[in-house]
């Protein structure tokens, strides 16, 4: 049925033909144009021009105002908002001039509709509220219902669907009684959208289907109805119907220039293609939706499109674009969901109470989830290439490069290390803000934590010719309960800053028992330096994000300024306090007070797997599947493993799907599985392998991933993985993880029966065999590149080692005599980095193994390890003295 055929239009046409007064004919012509507007927007707009011209000719102001209002509403429905607002201002001025309040309220409502479409909800509400107040005075029930329907739409925009539904249902019987097809179509569409958002899809389908019956093809009402059906079917996963209705809606809305439906159709077609994995087609549709929304300033649509583009680019692996759209989405959302609009809605008093708080909370939670998802993806995307950079640099350094090559490799290594520090700072801050940091309650030894801080920072201090001392005052229990990792992180941040900002003097890290209330041991850590100090202007804001004591300090010393912010937030999470005292030019003291508990067990003996020669021989026979899509990471992992384990057999799979196929075709001892891969990710592949129902399902799987947030690790273990190694990985960590998961599972040698003399990766043997030492135990390449080719600096480090190492070996001997495992562990821990700088490899010194064994109190293994270490050091002393004297 066309507009010309409707009973209402025929009645108006007959009336028009029988009227003799021009004003009456103009008024009837406006009503006829309004009826046609539901079916033919362009014809209605042409009739508005005729009405304005005829009203001008006889100076009929009310007719002109109605013509301008009609023309403005046509522009609004076409998305031409500037033109619409200009004409409506003229119409409003005339309506007020002739004091036609009924006309004025209708113009005000259209103003509200335009600002709503533009996403300016506060302005829209102002117009709706004004119109509603005037209609209440006039007692016009239908006009009031029009305003209430508009306010229902605002609640819909603010995600308060319950309130939106309440308003819409109030209007429904009034519009049904009025028998106004246009208003009835409008309220049906509103109800369809509300039920759609509430996921009541049958109800949504009913109202969109009602509109389909009330409208004719190629009209605004019709395309709105079929787009509604399309998006409901999309949500119901009835893909054929969704594609059919959305495509039809897009084609017809383009023909009749209905911008709103074009955006809806493009948006949901984009989502549909994204779900099907057709990212190119998805991007095409979402980009088209974005262009229209941007051109016609539809900010609410822009918000939704930015959110979906963020998800799409994330899936496509384009993290910078994903983050850009996420931030834009957040900014628009914050602007639209402003508190002013919410407060005004509360003050309308049409409803006694409007509860939007929980809806706002949902929006905030969704934003936090998207941000956290982005941070996790960013972690992976940055750490994956960093893994390649760090790993290949390490491999190149081990291949005796020329001095000029070593300088370049050193620069790469230092840059990569600095970048990793910044990445870790940003990720830590994001995890804290998202509430993803969980403070652990585990037993630990305070002495080990403080010595670890000292060992990590000692070389930096000595390089600046500074003192670095650690003091533990009496009264603190040997073993405590708390989070040693986070305490270590805080102290590393504070002590590292102290060294950075101190040119001469010393840095002191001390711990004292500040208070003991029975349940809690309040331990105070003081980090004191003799550095540049902090001015009074910056003391109060020193813990703010990205804050350092002035731009000159940033230029001189570098850094992000995040370390103190992270430290403060970690201390707060541990229910502690952090403070600072400083005097410019004289030094600074940071004090951290943390409540800890005394461990019930002050001495701990635990069994632990250790890596001895026989274990390495067993690992050397492993058949391993490396699953990694990144070519550089494959190269790093393969080269590293083959360097450590020349006999290992390594097969490659480039995605999870290929991994599943390979474990069904071949028998592997171990799978190293990347997480984020195309075709099929590592988690999905692991779940499939675990459900195979045969021997392949029992294969050991280690995740190799850059995503090491706690919730990620839980997902890996839940999926059936046995362990994880973070990227960039350390060789010793990878070996230990391989040993731990293969503890009772080693490959069967050719010709050996399944259970006959099966070699095992064993606990430490009481009588290990000392392997012959290589011709040279030291390697000066690392020290040379570390010192930047500076011979004087190299000799300084060598001299330091030759002076310190004998004392530490003496401590090892004494600890062995009195069976003081802690003293042995501390001495080994201190000697370990010094041996590394001298180029003595772990497979020669076994210093890490000694430290680990002493920490677990395996006395039977320690004498042999110390004997080996002493002979390694004796040879190292000879070689280093020769280098120093050459």
């Amino acid at each position: 049925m066309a507009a010309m055929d409707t009973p209402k239009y025929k009645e108006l046409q007959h009336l028009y033909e029988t009227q003799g007064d021009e004003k009456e004919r103009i008024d009837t012509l406006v009503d006829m144009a309004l009826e046609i507007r539901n079916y033919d927007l362009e014809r209605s707009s042409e009739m508005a021009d005729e009405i304005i011209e005829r009203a001008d000719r006889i100076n009929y102001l009310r007719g002109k105002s109605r013509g301008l209002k009609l023309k403005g509403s046509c522009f609004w429905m076409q998305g031409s908002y500037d033109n619409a607002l200009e004409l409506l201002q003229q119409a409003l001025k005339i309506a007020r001039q002739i004091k036609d309040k009924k006309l004025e309220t209708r113009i005000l409502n259209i103003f509200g509709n335009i600002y709503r479409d533009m996403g300016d909800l506060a302005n829209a509400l102002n117009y709706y509220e004004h119109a509603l107040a005037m209609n209440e005075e006039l007692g016009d029930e239908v006009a009031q219902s029009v305003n209430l329907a508009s306010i229902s739409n605002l609640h819909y925009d603010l995600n308060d669907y319950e309130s939106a539904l309440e308003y819409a249902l109030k209007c429904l019987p009034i519009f049904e009684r009025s028998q106004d097809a246009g208003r009835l179509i409008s309220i049906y569409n509103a109800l369809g959208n509300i039920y759609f958002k509430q996921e009541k899809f049958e109800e949504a389908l009913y109202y969109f289907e009602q509109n389909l019956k009330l409208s004719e093809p190629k009209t605004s009402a019709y395309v709105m109805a079929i787009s509604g059906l399309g998006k409901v079917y999309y949500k119901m996963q009835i893909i054929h119907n969704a594609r059919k209705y959305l495509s039809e809606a897009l084609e017809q809305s383009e023909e009749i220039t209905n911008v709103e439906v074009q955006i809806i159709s493009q948006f949901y077609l984009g989502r549909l293609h994204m779900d099907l994995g057709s990212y190119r087609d998805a991007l095409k549709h979402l980009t088209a939706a974005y262009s229209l929304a941007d051109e016609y300033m539809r900010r609410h649509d822009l918000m939704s499109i930015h959110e979906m583009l963020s998800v799409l680019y994330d899936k496509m692996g384009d993290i910078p674009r994903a983050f850009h759209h996420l931030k834009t989405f957040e900014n628009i959302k914050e602007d639209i969901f402003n508190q002013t609009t919410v407060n005004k809605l509360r003050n309308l008093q049409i409803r006694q109470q409007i509860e939007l708080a929980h809806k706002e909370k949902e929006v905030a939670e969704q934003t936090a989830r998207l941000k956290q998802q982005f941070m996790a993806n960013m972690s992976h995307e940055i750490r994956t290439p960093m893994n390649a950079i760090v790993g290949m640099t390490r491999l190149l350094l081990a291949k005796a490069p020329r001095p000029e090559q070593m300088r370049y490799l050193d620069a790469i290594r230092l840059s990569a290390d600095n970048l990793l520090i910044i990445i870790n700072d940003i990720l830590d801050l994001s995890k804290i803000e998202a509430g993803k940091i969980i403070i652990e309650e585990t037993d630990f030894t305070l002495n080990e934590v403080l010595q670890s801080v000292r060992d990590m920072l000692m070389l930096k201090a000595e390089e600046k010719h500074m003192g670095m001392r650690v003091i533990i005052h009496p009264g603190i229990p040997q073993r405590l309960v708390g989070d040693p990792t986070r305490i270590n992180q805080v102290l590393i941040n504070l002590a590292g800053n102290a060294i950075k900002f101190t040119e001469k003097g010393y840095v002191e890290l001390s711990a004292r028992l500040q208070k003991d209330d029975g349940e809690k041991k309040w331990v105070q850590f003081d980090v004191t330096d003799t550095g540049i100090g902090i001015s009074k202007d910056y003391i109060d804001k020193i813990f703010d994000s990205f804050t350092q004591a002035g731009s000159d300090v940033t230029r001189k010393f570098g850094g992000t300024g995040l370390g103190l912010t992270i430290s403060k937030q970690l201390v707060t999470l541990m229910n502690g306090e952090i403070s600072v005292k400083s005097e410019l030019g004289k030094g600074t003291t940071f004090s951290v007070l943390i409540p800890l508990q005394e461990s019930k067990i002050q001495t701990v003996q635990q069994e632990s797997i250790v890596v001895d020669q026989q274990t390495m021989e067993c690992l050397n026979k492993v058949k391993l599947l490396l699953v990694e899509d990144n070519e550089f990471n494959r190269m790093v992992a393969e080269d590293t493993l083959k360097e450590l384990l020349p006999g290992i057999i390594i097969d490659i799979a480039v995605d999870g799907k290929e991994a599943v196929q390979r474990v069904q075709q071949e028998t592997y001892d171990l799978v190293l599985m990347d997480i984020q891969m195309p075709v099929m990710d590592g988690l999905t592949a692991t779940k499939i392998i675990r459900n195979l129902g045969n021997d392949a399902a029992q294969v050991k799987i280690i995740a190799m991933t850059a995503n090491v947030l706690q919730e990620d690790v839980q997902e890996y273990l839940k999926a059936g993985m046995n362990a994880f190694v973070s990227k960039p990985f350390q060789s010793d960590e990878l070996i230990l993880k391989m040993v731990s998961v293969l503890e009772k599972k080693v490959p069967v040698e050719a010709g050996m029966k399944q259970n006959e003399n099966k070699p095992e990766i064993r606990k430490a043997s009481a009588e290990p065999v000392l392997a012959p030492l290589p011709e040279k135990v030291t390697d000066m390449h690392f020290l040379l590149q570390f010192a930047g080719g500076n011979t004087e600096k190299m000799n300084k480090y060598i001299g330091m080692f030759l002076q310190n190492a004998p004392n530490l070996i003496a401590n090892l001997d004494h600890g062995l005599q009195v069976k003081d495992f802690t003293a042995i562990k501390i001495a080994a821990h201190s000697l370990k980095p010094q041996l590394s700088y001298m180029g003595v490899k772990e497979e020669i010194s076994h210093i890490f193994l000694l430290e680990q064994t002493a920490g677990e109190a395996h006395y039977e293994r320690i004498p042999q390890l110390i004997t080996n270490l002493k002979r390694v050091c004796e040879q190292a002393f000879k070689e280093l003295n020769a280098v120093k004297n050459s």
Side-chain angles (χ1 to χ4, degrees):
M1 184 187 297
M4 309 285 184
D5 298 326
T6 65
K8 186 174 180 180
Y9 184 86
K10 288 181 177 180
E11 181 184 333
L12 289 169
Q13 188 178 37
H14 177 73
L15 179 62
Y16 177 81
E17 290 170 352
T18 59
Q19 288 171 324
D21 184 78
E22 177 65 356
K23 290 182 181 181
E24 291 177 347
R25 287 169 67 87
I26 289 174
D27 285 337
T28 304
L29 193 59
V30 171
D31 293 336
M32 291 167 66
L34 287 171
E35 182 69 12
I36 286 177
R37 189 182 62 179
N38 296 323
Y39 303 89
D40 189 341
L41 197 59
E42 288 187 11
R43 173 64 186 136
S44 180
S45 182
E46 290 169 0
M47 291 176 70
D49 291 332
E50 180 186 347
I51 290 162
I52 295 167
E53 183 184 347
R54 287 169 62 173
D56 257 340
R57 198 180 302 148
I58 62 170
N59 198 29
Y60 178 35
L61 293 179
R62 184 174 184 274
K64 183 176 181 180
S65 179
R66 292 189 73 195
L68 289 166
K69 168 183 160 287
L70 173 63
K71 182 75 173 179
S73 70
C74 290
F75 275 132
W76 158 54
M77 295 172 78
Q78 290 172 325
S80 185
Y81 301 131
D82 288 340
N83 290 333
L85 291 171
E86 182 182 347
L87 291 176
L88 288 171
Q89 284 290 357
Q90 296 177 38
L92 184 62
K93 184 178 179 181
I94 296 171
R96 285 173 175 168
Q97 179 184 340
I98 62 176
K99 298 181 180 179
D100 189 334
K101 289 190 176 182
K102 190 172 182 178
L103 177 58
E104 184 179 346
T105 62
R106 281 156 172 72
I107 296 169
L108 290 172
N109 202 73
I110 300 174
F111 267 112
N113 291 340
I114 293 170
Y115 283 113
R116 180 205 166 204
D117 281 357
M118 293 169 67
D120 188 348
L121 302 191
N123 220 349
L125 181 56
N126 285 335
Y127 283 105
Y128 293 151
E129 194 176 9
H130 191 180
L132 180 61
M134 292 179 67
N135 281 321
E136 285 173 343
E137 286 181 15
L138 295 169
D140 190 333
E141 184 184 49
V142 173
Q144 286 179 56
S145 296
V146 170
N147 301 142
L148 290 176
S150 299
I151 292 169
S152 168
N153 291 332
L154 279 188
H155 283 292
Y156 173 87
D157 292 339
L158 288 167
N159 296 351
D160 184 5
Y161 306 125
E162 290 178 10
S163 299
L165 182 61
E166 183 177 334
Y167 280 113
L169 290 174
K170 283 180 181 177
C171 302
L172 180 60
I174 297 169
F175 288 157
E176 286 178 334
R177 285 198 302 270
S178 72
Q179 296 184 335
D180 186 318
R183 286 171 181 158
L184 199 56
I185 285 170
S186 175
I187 201 67
Y188 282 169
N189 186 65
L191 285 165
N193 283 326
I194 294 166
Y195 283 124
F196 170 73
K197 287 294 186 180
Q198 291 183 323
E199 297 190 347
K200 297 177 180 178
F201 298 132
E202 294 300 329
E203 290 89 338
L205 284 175
Y206 169 78
Y207 283 107
F208 288 134
E209 286 168 349
Q210 288 299 107
N211 271 356
L212 208 59
K213 295 173 184 176
L214 288 171
S215 53
E216 290 291 317
K218 298 184 181 178
T219 65
S220 293
Y222 184 87
V223 295
M224 191 67 76
I226 58 174
S227 69
L229 290 171
K231 66 186 185 184
V232 174
Y233 282 124
Y234 162 74
K235 279 290 190 177
M236 295 173 73
Q237 289 296 291
I238 304 175
I239 302 302
H240 174 74
N241 283 357
R243 195 194 302 268
K244 169 191 165 187
Y245 282 114
L246 289 170
S247 299
E248 185 182 351
L250 178 60
E251 182 181 345
Q252 291 197 24
S253 61
E254 286 176 339
E255 194 172 334
I256 65 171
T257 324
N258 187 304
V259 175
E260 182 178 1
V261 175
Q262 287 180 58
I263 293 171
I264 291 170
S265 304
Q266 296 280 21
F267 178 76
Y268 280 100
L269 282 169
R271 292 188 62 174
L272 188 150
H273 282 293
M274 182 168 65
D275 291 350
L276 294 173
S278 303
Y279 296 150
R280 253 179 222 284
D281 290 333
L283 184 60
K284 181 184 74 173
H285 286 294
L286 288 175
T287 303
Y290 173 83
S291 298
L292 285 165
D294 186 48
E295 180 182 353
Y296 292 101
M297 300 176 290
R298 297 178 65 93
R299 296 178 70 244
H300 213 286
D301 291 327
L302 280 171
M303 179 183 72
S304 300
I305 296 165
H306 278 297
E307 181 183 16
M308 204 49 56
L309 281 169
S310 173
V311 175
L312 176 60
Y313 278 118
D314 181 14
K315 288 178 179 290
M316 294 171 72
D318 192 337
I319 298 303
R321 281 196 174 95
F323 190 57
H324 161 72
H325 286 292
L326 173 65
K327 294 302 293 181
T328 310
F329 157 73
E330 287 180 340
N331 291 337
I332 298 175
K333 179 217 57 171
E334 186 178 347
D335 203 18
I336 290 176
F337 285 66
N338 67 76
Q339 194 60 43
T340 304
T341 308
V342 175
N343 288 340
K344 284 187 175 182
L345 276 170
R346 287 196 178 107
N347 294 333
L348 275 176
Q349 295 180 353
I350 297 166
R351 250 180 105 198
Q352 290 298 313
Q353 187 178 10
I354 300 175
E355 298 176 356
L356 286 178
H358 64 288
K359 296 299 178 184
E360 290 173 329
K361 182 173 180 287
E362 286 177 10
V363 174
E365 287 172 349
Q366 183 186 22
T367 303
R369 179 185 59 76
L370 285 168
K371 181 177 179 181
Q372 186 62 21
Q373 180 185 347
F374 171 77
M375 293 308 297
N377 288 328
M378 187 186 80
S379 167
H380 177 270
E381 293 301 327
I382 295 178
R383 284 175 181 271
T384 295
M386 287 302 298
N387 177 51
I389 294 168
V390 172
M392 285 192 286
T393 303
R394 185 178 64 239
L395 290 170
L396 288 171
L397 284 167
K399 296 186 182 297
R402 298 191 302 273
E404 67 273 15
Q405 292 173 328
M406 290 185 69
R407 284 198 297 273
Y408 299 142
L409 290 171
D410 183 42
I412 295 171
R413 182 187 61 81
L414 289 173
S415 298
D417 288 345
N418 288 334
L419 184 55
L420 279 174
I421 290 169
I422 294 169
I423 293 166
N424 289 334
D425 278 352
I426 293 170
L427 291 175
D428 271 342
L429 193 61
S430 300
K431 285 186 283 182
I432 292 169
E433 289 176 348
K436 297 294 183 180
I437 293 286
I438 297 174
I439 299 301
E440 303 289 342
E441 293 290 330
T442 58
D443 281 20
F444 70 96
T445 303
L446 184 61
N447 184 58
E448 292 181 6
V449 172
L450 298 189
Q451 287 299 329
S452 172
V453 174
R454 182 184 185 277
D455 290 343
M456 287 186 70
L457 298 175
M458 190 66 191
L459 275 171
K460 287 184 179 179
E462 288 176 345
E463 192 172 35
K464 297 180 77 172
H465 306 288
M466 292 166 43
M468 171 77 187
R469 55 191 186 227
V470 173
I471 301 172
I472 302 178
H473 294 277
I476 304 175
Q478 182 180 355
R479 292 186 66 81
L480 297 163
V481 177
D483 193 330
T485 302
R486 297 305 173 188
I487 294 172
N488 180 275
Q489 186 176 356
V490 169
L491 297 179
I492 287 287
N493 273 335
L494 297 179
N497 270 355
I499 292 171
K500 181 163 70 170
F501 295 116
T502 302
E503 295 298 330
K504 59 182 179 179
Y506 66 89
V507 170
E508 179 182 287
L509 169 57
S510 67
R512 72 181 71 243
L513 188 62
Q514 200 256 15
K515 185 173 69 172
D516 185 349
D517 60 11
E519 288 188 8
K520 296 287 186 183
K521 311 292 182 184
W522 292 80
V523 179
Q524 179 169 319
F525 302 91
D526 291 322
V527 178
T528 303
D529 66 59
T530 55
I532 60 174
I534 306 167
S535 70
K536 293 180 181 178
D537 295 339
Y538 285 96
I539 282 284
D540 292 337
K541 54 185 176 181
I542 196 67
F543 294 110
D544 294 345
S545 299
F546 302 101
T547 296
Q548 289 188 345
S551 57
D552 54 335
V553 173
T554 304
R555 284 194 299 272
K556 183 175 181 181
F557 297 100
T560 62
L562 287 175
L564 290 178
T565 305
I566 293 168
S567 297
K568 179 177 174 61
Q569 296 189 10
L570 288 175
V571 170
T572 301
L573 286 172
M574 290 186 282
N575 299 313
E577 301 170 1
I578 186 169
S579 59
V580 57
K581 293 179 181 177
S582 186
E583 189 173 346
L584 203 58
K586 293 189 176 180
T588 303
T589 297
F590 282 90
S591 297
V592 175
L593 185 63
I594 299 176
L596 301 166
Q597 290 180 318
E598 183 175 356
S599 174
K600 294 177 181 178
I601 304 172
Q602 288 297 308
T603 56
V604 179
Q605 292 188 356
Q606 294 178 337
E607 275 201 316
S608 175
I609 298 170
V610 294
V611 184
D612 57 18
Q613 191 62 36
Q614 188 168 358
T615 301
M616 293 297 285
E617 289 174 6
C618 291
L619 288 179
N620 211 19
K621 299 165 187 171
V622 161
K623 185 172 182 181
L624 178 145
L625 178 63
L626 175 62
V627 189
E628 170 66 71
D629 67 303
N630 186 292
E631 182 181 357
F632 294 106
N633 289 342
R634 286 201 303 272
M635 187 191 309
V636 170
E638 193 172 4
D639 288 356
T640 301
L641 284 168
K642 286 187 174 177
E643 185 177 318
L644 294 170
L645 307 165
I648 193 170
I649 299 171
I650 301 176
D651 286 346
I652 303 294
V654 297
D655 57 59
K657 184 178 180 181
E658 186 180 347
V660 173
Q661 293 169 350
R662 280 189 170 272
V663 298
Q664 290 177 292
Q665 296 164 358
E666 301 280 344
T667 299
Y668 293 101
D669 303 294
L670 182 64
V671 177
L672 294 182
M673 181 82 76
D674 187 25
I675 297 297
Q676 292 194 7
M677 295 179 289
V679 184
M680 182 186 291
D681 62 79
L683 279 179
T684 304
T686 299
K687 290 173 183 175
I688 292 173
I689 290 169
R690 292 300 182 227
N691 290 316
L692 286 176
N694 53 31
D695 290 344
Q698 305 306 315
V699 67
K700 303 297 184 182
I701 302 176
I702 298 177
M704 291 185 67
T705 175
N707 291 348
V708 292
L709 304 183
Q710 188 164 354
E711 61 269 27
D712 295 326
V713 174
Q714 292 301 320
E715 282 294 310
Y716 307 153
L717 300 178
K718 187 178 176 183
M721 292 179 165
N722 302 97
F724 77 95
V725 175
S726 62
K727 294 179 183 177
F729 67 85
Q730 298 296 324
S731 304
D732 53 359
E733 181 193 6
L734 177 57
I735 292 298
L736 283 172
K737 288 292 174 71
M738 290 172 66
V739 171
S740 70
V741 301
L742 289 169
E743 180 183 356
K744 294 296 182 183
K745 179 179 175 63
V746 293
V748 179
E749 294 184 44
M752 183 182 291
K753 294 180 182 178
Q754 184 70 25
N755 296 311
E756 182 184 52
N757 298 325
K758 184 176 178 182
E760 294 181 341
I761 295 175
R762 305 179 297 126
K763 300 291 191 298
S765 169
E767 296 180 0
V769 179
L770 291 176
L773 293 179
E775 187 177 338
K776 285 196 69 177
V777 297
T778 59
D779 183 351
M780 292 296 95
H781 286 110
F782 177 80
L783 189 59
L784 182 65
Q785 57 90 19
F786 180 77
N790 187 320
T791 307
E792 183 181 347
K793 190 179 285 188
M794 281 181 64
N795 286 335
K796 183 189 78 171
Y797 291 131
I798 291 172
M800 196 185 306
F801 173 76
L802 292 172
Q803 182 180 354
N804 291 341
N807 296 329
L808 292 170
I809 291 171
N811 291 343
L812 288 170
D813 279 335
H814 179 71
L816 183 60
Q817 289 172 16
V818 298
K819 297 185 180 179
D820 186 344
F821 300 122
T822 301
I824 295 172
K825 185 177 190 300
I826 291 171
H829 190 76
S830 298
L831 187 56
K832 181 175 63 177
Q834 298 181 42
L835 283 169
S836 296
Y837 280 100
M838 298 304 118
V840 181
K841 293 184 170 61
E842 166 63 21
E843 56 264 34
I844 298 172
S845 71
H846 301 303
I847 185 72
F848 176 76
L849 181 56
L850 174 59
E851 178 192 3
Q852 180 196 34
T853 307
E856 306 299 343
H858 287 294
Y859 179 78
E860 73 281 357
R861 181 73 169 103
I862 291 173
Q864 196 73 33
L865 289 169
I866 291 179
T867 299
N868 175 71
L869 181 63
K870 287 167 69 176
R871 67 182 184 131
V872 170
C873 286
E874 285 172 11
Q875 184 169 330
F877 294 158
K878 292 176 185 176
E879 294 173 13
L880 293 171
N881 275 311
V883 171
K884 191 176 179 184
N885 297 325
S886 62

